[in-house]
């Protein structure tokens, strides 16, 4: 190769630039353009002295993880935050679902109630909006008669009994001993439907007075 070294002692007899293979082998110059100590032939970033391989960020960007979350800054969507992407709640706010209902706390109006997420409902967080009797009033907060579909409060007669006044005398049937007699609320001497009249004023109702 005319390099002045006899072939018998020249490890690169066909390469006039080298007598030994060096790092890059015969036929290839051991040059280090970026002077980082790694020859270009094995330096994947031969023009960037800080790196010899692209890594995550490429040759011209350092693989730095400033917040220590294991994601390089160049691909970290939340620098300075243990999160690497905004997620549902955004950077700086953890994507936590305390009640396990599938809705993150940051957007869950009832973060500790697994049965409610986007609304507190009628009864509020932590209280079921169940309507057992189907009257449109939840059992636990608005319905005082949760098994009576016709009432939401006991009223005068209690749950399960209608507050009806058939004879329109102002006394509900459940308290009216003569529910079909609008003149009486108790049988009296003569019974329902018969007035306790005392024509002669002797203190004895006509219905039982032998001489009314």
């Amino acid at each position: 190769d005319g390099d002045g070294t006899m072939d018998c002692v020249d490890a690169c007899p066909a390469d006039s630039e080298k007598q030994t293979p060096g790092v890059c082998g015969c036929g290839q110059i051991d040059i280090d353009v970026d002077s980082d100590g790694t020859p270009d032939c094995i330096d994947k970033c031969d023009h960037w002295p800080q790196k010899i391989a692209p890594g995550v960020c490429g040759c011209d960007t350092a693989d730095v993880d400033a917040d220590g979350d294991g994601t390089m800054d160049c691909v970290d969507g939340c620098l300075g935050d243990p999160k690497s992407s905004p997620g549902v709640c955004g950077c700086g706010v953890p994507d936590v679902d305390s009640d396990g209902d599938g809705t993150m706390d940051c957007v869950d109006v009832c973060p500790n109630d697994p049965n409610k997420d986007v609304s507190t409902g009628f009864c509020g967080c932590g209280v079921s909006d169940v309507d057992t009797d189907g009257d449109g009033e939840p059992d636990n907060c608005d319905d005082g008669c949760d098994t009576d579909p016709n009432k939401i409060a006991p009223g005068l007669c209690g749950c399960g009994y209608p507050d009806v006044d058939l004879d329109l005398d102002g006394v509900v049937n459940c308290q009216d001993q003569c529910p079909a007699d609008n003149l009486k609320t108790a049988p009296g001497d003569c019974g329902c439907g018969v007035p306790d009249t005392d024509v002669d004023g002797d203190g004895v109702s006509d219905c039982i007075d032998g001489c009314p």
Side-chain angles (χ1 to χ4, degrees), residues 34-110:
D34 56 15
S35 301
D36 62 357
T38 301
D40 294 354
C41 65
I42 58 173
D43 190 341
K44 301 297 184 182
C45 295
D46 54 15
H47 292 283
W48 186 258
Q50 283 77 20
K51 302 176 81 172
I52 61 172
V56 174
C57 299
C59 291
D60 59 352
T61 303
D63 286 346
V64 175
D65 177 16
D67 55 18
D69 62 359
T71 301
M72 298 300 121
D73 292 356
C74 63
V75 292
D76 192 336
C78 290
L79 294 174
D81 186 328
K83 297 170 74 173
S84 58
S85 65
V88 174
C89 298
C91 299
V93 180
D95 286 345
V96 174
D97 177 15
S98 298
D99 55 17
D101 61 359
T103 300
M104 296 300 123
D105 291 357
C106 63
V107 293
D108 191 336
V109 297
C110 293

Side-chain angles (χ1 to χ4, degrees), residues 184 189-190 194-202 204-209 212:
K184 302 176 78 172
D189 292 327
C190 300
V194 179
D196 290 344
T197 303
D198 178 15
V199 173
D200 57 12
D202 64 356
V204 180
S205 299
D206 294 352
C207 64
I208 57 174
D209 190 340

Side-chain angles (χ1 to χ4, degrees), residues 8-184:
C8 64
V9 293
D10 190 341
C12 294
D15 184 345
S16 61
E17 301 295 328
K18 303 174 78 173
Q19 290 79 48
T20 58
V23 174
C24 298
C26 299
Q28 188 170 2
I29 300 173
D30 287 351
I31 190 171
D32 180 11
V33 172
D34 56 15
S35 301
D36 62 357
T38 301
D40 294 354
C41 65
I42 58 173
D43 190 341
K44 301 297 184 182
C45 295
D46 54 15
H47 292 283
W48 186 258
Q50 283 77 20
K51 302 176 81 172
I52 61 172
V56 174
C57 299
C59 291
D60 59 352
T61 303
D63 286 346
V64 175
D65 177 16
D67 55 18
D69 62 359
T71 301
M72 298 300 121
D73 292 356
C74 63
V75 292
D76 192 336
C78 290
L79 294 174
D81 186 328
K83 297 170 74 173
S84 58
S85 65
V88 174
C89 298
C91 299
V93 180
D95 286 345
V96 174
D97 177 15
S98 298
D99 55 17
D101 61 359
T103 300
M104 296 300 123
D105 291 357
C106 63
V107 293
D108 191 336
V109 297
C110 293
N112 295 306
D113 185 341
N115 297 310
K116 298 183 178 183
D117 49 19
V118 299
S119 171
T120 57
F122 287 103
C123 300
C125 298
V127 181
S128 173
D129 289 337
V130 171
D131 177 14
T132 301
D133 56 17
D135 62 359
E137 298 293 335
D139 298 352
N140 297 315
C141 60
D142 289 333
D143 197 339
C145 292
D146 55 24
T147 59
D148 184 344
N150 297 310
K151 301 177 80 171
I152 60 172
L156 296 172
C157 296
C159 299
Y161 299 94
D163 290 344
V164 175
D165 177 15
L166 290 176
D167 56 15
L168 303 177
D169 60 358
V171 178
V172 290
N173 291 357
C174 65
Q175 297 176 351
D176 192 339
Q177 296 179 48
C178 293
D181 184 345
N182 64 354
L183 299 176
K184 302 176 78 172

